[in-house]
């Protein structure tokens, strides 16, 4: 039990722990379960520091997300969420671009100081990362100094979701926020009830799902709605291998709809690198439950691991799709509003999986139905998240477009058929102009 004495000696107030940060440092706030006590203490050192680069995936509001002037902290975000959209628009926050196959950029050991959240050590001195693992082990091993915020409200899971207390430099006790679980989607937006468009998209997706499929669902209002719409309830022996685990999935595990019995890899296990629930009861169901295993992003997002599952179905959202099949999921024109995350690697893995399918979901219109999301050409400056050569199935509330194996003209007609009726005539004319003599 030597670790207990060592742990007690490392337990300090947050204001003392953040003294490890020096001017010119790169500070990384590990993804998920933000270390709010440490971040707040660091903010209070604003007048003492300069040129500190802070990497973060924002989940809860902080003062530095609203600083319009030159301050000591320069922010870089791995995923654009509403909290920092204004900063990104003003170009006051930089955006990290993840390598899409095996590693996130924060795996590279570049952190001078790493801020993480952990569950208190168990009897053997091991701390859990809770419901959000990502690449934290690699970050700990590559960082100069590691500050760990101890949160007894986290869960423990099986898999590779732990670190020994001896590998962490300082511990601070978390100040409770009183914020209950649930209520927001994976981008931090307040969740509303499913609208008619969400339900129609989900029903169209449901027709594509077969018993025994292994599922992945990505970030986005339309894709996350699929998990909550009840379309999987009549299916049997579904599997789960996903980067995130959106709300609605734990219920399906509890009811036996998702059981992983037919998975070729991690059979009988629900595998992800992050998981959230709708209620405390759902998270209590996950806690110490051997059905759930969390692994690092470099395993979960490895296209070879994804492809090892027969009938792998990747379900991801998009902002726009052009008539060639190019999928934009990160920007509206040149304006960055999201990130590709693991979408590309899951699309690749699904294509390589025997019986696999890559499904892209999006409403047919935007801005109060005044513009079509199915477009002749992507807007100038738009980022192509999924190239046309990897576009497979596109779903809107008006139907399903099957693109795999189709010619350019056939693809265009498929996509026109699932556009909003108000825009089909013009899109058909655009397609004829672009692809016919």
């Amino acid at each position: 039990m030597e670790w207990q004495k060592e742990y007690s000696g490392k337990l300090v107030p947050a204001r003392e722990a953040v003294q490890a940060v020096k001017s010119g440092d790169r500070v990384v706030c590990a993804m998920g379960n933000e270390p709010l006590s440490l971040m707040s203490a660091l903010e209070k050192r604003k007048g003492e520091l300069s040129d500190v680069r802070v990497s973060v995936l924002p989940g809860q509001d902080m003062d530095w997300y609203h600083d319009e002037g030159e301050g000591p902290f320069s922010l870089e975000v791995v995923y654009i969420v509403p909290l920092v959209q204004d900063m990104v628009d003003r170009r006051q926050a930089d955006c990290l671009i993840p390598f899409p196959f095996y590693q996130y950029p924060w795996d590279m050991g570049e952190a001078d100081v790493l801020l993480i959240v952990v569950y208190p050590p168990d009897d053997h001195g091991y701390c859990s990362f809770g419901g959000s693992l990502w690449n934290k082990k690699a970050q700990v091993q590559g960082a100069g100094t590691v500050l760990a915020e101890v949160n007894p409200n986290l869960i423990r899971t099986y898999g590779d979701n732990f670190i020994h207390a001896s590998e962490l430099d300082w511990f601070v006790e978390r100040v409770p926020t009183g914020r209950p679980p649930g209520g927001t989607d994976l981008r931090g937006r307040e969740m509303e009830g499913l609208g008619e468009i969400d339900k129609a998209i989900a029903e169209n997706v449901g027709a594509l799902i077969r018993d025994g499929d292994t599922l992945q669902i990505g970030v986005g209002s339309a894709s996350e709605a699929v998990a909550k719409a009840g379309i999987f309830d009549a299916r049997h022996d579904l599997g789960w291998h996903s980067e995130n685990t959106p709300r609605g999935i734990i219920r399906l595990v509890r009811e036996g709809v998702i059981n992983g019995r037919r998975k070729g890899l991690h059979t009988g296990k629900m595998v992800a690198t992050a998981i959230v629930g709708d209620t405390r009861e759902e998270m209590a169901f996950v806690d110490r439950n051997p059905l759930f295993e969390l692994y690092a992003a470099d395993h979960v997002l490895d296209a070879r691991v994804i492809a090892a599952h027969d009938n792998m179905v990747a379900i991801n959202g998009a902002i726009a799709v052009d008539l060639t099949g190019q999928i934009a999921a990160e920007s509206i024109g040149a304006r960055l509003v999201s990130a590709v995350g693991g979408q590309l690697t899951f699309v690749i893995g699904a294509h390589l999986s025997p019986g696999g399918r890559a499904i892209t979901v999006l409403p047919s219109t935007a801005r109060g139905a005044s513009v079509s999301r199915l477009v002749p050409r992507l807007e100038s400056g738009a980022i192509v998240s999924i190239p046309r050569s990897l576009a497979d199935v596109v779903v809107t509330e008006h139907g399903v477009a099957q693109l795999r194996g189709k010619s350019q003209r056939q693809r265009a007609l498929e996509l026109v058929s699932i556009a909003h009726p108000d825009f089909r005539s013009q899109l058909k004319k655009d397609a004829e102009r672009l692809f016919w003599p």
Side-chain angles (χ1 to χ4, degrees):
M1 294 298 182
E2 185 65 27
W3 69 265
Q4 292 179 327
K5 182 178 179 181
E6 182 182 358
Y7 174 78
S8 297
K10 293 178 177 180
L11 190 61
V12 298
R15 65 179 182 277
E16 183 176 330
V18 297
Q19 293 299 315
V21 179
K22 310 299 181 187
S23 293
D25 278 353
R26 184 188 188 206
V27 177
V28 170
C29 303
M31 291 174 64
N33 292 326
E34 287 168 290
L36 297 178
S37 298
L38 285 167
M39 292 170 69
S40 296
L42 181 58
E43 272 191 336
K44 290 182 173 70
R45 295 194 60 206
K46 190 173 183 178
E48 307 169 24
L49 298 168
S50 62
D51 193 29
V52 175
R53 187 160 53 123
V54 180
S55 302
V56 64
L57 194 164
Q60 296 193 47
D61 207 0
M62 304 291 292
D63 288 344
W64 49 22
Y65 300 153
H66 308 285
D67 190 354
E68 297 188 19
E70 291 293 330
F73 305 115
S74 63
L75 293 184
E76 53 187 20
V77 296
V78 73
Y79 207 100
I80 301 168
V81 296
L83 274 175
V84 292
Q85 185 66 64
D86 287 345
M87 288 196 74
V88 173
D89 289 343
R90 296 194 306 266
R91 300 185 181 87
Q92 285 186 287
D94 198 5
C95 302
L96 289 167
I97 301 174
F99 189 67
F101 296 103
Y102 316 124
Q103 291 180 316
Y104 272 70
W106 299 351
D107 284 345
M108 305 305 181
E110 297 176 358
D112 296 299
V113 181
L114 173 68
L115 312 183
I116 63 172
V117 181
V118 296
Y119 187 86
D122 65 12
D123 291 343
H124 304 288
Y126 285 94
C127 303
S128 170
F129 292 113
S132 183
L133 175 57
W134 302 101
N135 50 0
K136 291 173 185 172
K137 267 195 166 181
Q139 290 177 310
V140 167
Q141 293 159 358
T145 301
V146 183
L147 312 182
E149 189 168 313
V150 181
N151 183 358
N153 294 319
L154 297 187
I155 60 171
R156 288 185 176 276
T157 74
Y158 289 78
D160 193 23
N161 189 19
F162 55 85
I163 194 83
H164 197 270
S166 61
E167 296 189 60
L168 310 175
D169 296 301
W170 299 103
F171 294 89
V172 305
E173 293 182 345
R174 184 180 183 86
V175 177
T177 64
R179 183 187 183 191
T184 63
D185 65 13
L186 294 173
R187 296 191 70 218
R189 299 169 297 193
E190 293 298 322
M191 294 191 70
E192 301 176 355
L194 296 184
E196 293 306 311
I197 291 176
D198 289 331
K199 292 177 183 178
I201 291 172
E203 289 174 4
N204 288 334
V205 171
L208 302 171
I209 306 303
R210 304 189 289 260
D211 292 348
D213 284 344
T214 292
L215 306 176
Q216 173 263 336
I217 297 177
V219 175
S221 57
S223 53
E224 291 181 55
V226 169
K228 297 179 70 69
I231 62 167
F232 304 125
D233 290 3
R235 297 290 180 263
H236 300 89
D237 298 337
L238 296 179
W240 185 254
H241 181 95
S242 186
E243 179 181 12
N244 286 289
T245 306
R247 306 185 194 284
I249 294 301
I250 295 175
R251 176 187 70 82
L252 293 169
V253 177
R254 296 182 74 171
E255 295 176 1
V257 175
I258 296 178
N259 55 44
R261 288 174 186 160
R262 301 194 200 179
K263 289 178 68 178
L265 186 65
H266 300 298
T267 306
K269 306 296 181 181
M270 313 309 123
V271 171
T273 196
I275 185 167
V276 294
D278 281 309
T279 63
R280 294 190 187 278
E281 289 74 22
E282 284 196 346
M283 294 309 287
F285 175 75
V286 177
D287 187 31
R288 296 174 173 83
N289 187 334
L291 286 174
F292 296 87
E293 295 184 346
L294 297 192
Y295 292 94
D298 60 359
H299 174 75
V300 176
L301 274 70
D302 188 328
R304 297 167 297 186
V305 173
I306 297 165
H309 300 83
D310 288 355
N311 304 306
M312 183 75 211
V313 181
I315 304 170
N316 291 282
I319 295 168
V321 179
D322 75 10
L323 293 181
T324 73
Q326 293 187 117
I327 297 169
E330 301 166 70
S331 70
I332 300 172
R335 184 190 182 217
L336 290 170
V337 296
S338 189
V340 69
Q343 182 169 349
L344 177 58
T345 192
F346 272 100
V347 167
I348 293 170
H351 276 290
L352 295 174
S353 161
R357 283 143 281 153
I359 301 173
T360 298
V361 297
L362 74 166
S364 64
T365 62
R367 301 175 192 168
S370 65
V371 296
S372 176
R373 289 177 181 258
L374 286 303
V375 295
R377 287 279 190 256
L378 293 179
E379 188 177 338
S380 176
I383 295 171
V384 177
S385 306
I386 306 298
R388 63 179 187 169
S389 56
L390 291 176
D392 185 5
V393 182
V394 179
V395 176
T396 72
E397 71 273 26
H398 296 292
V400 176
Q402 300 278 359
L403 305 187
R404 186 186 295 193
K406 300 287 177 67
S407 71
Q408 180 59 83
R409 294 176 183 175
Q410 290 171 327
R411 281 174 169 234
L413 293 177
E414 286 276 324
L415 291 165
V416 169
S417 74
I418 64 169
H420 191 284
D422 290 351
F423 296 95
R424 286 180 196 165
S425 176
Q426 183 58 51
L427 283 170
K428 179 72 172 356
K429 292 177 183 177
D430 292 330
E432 292 172 347
R433 173 177 54 81
L434 289 168
F435 308 125
W436 272 266

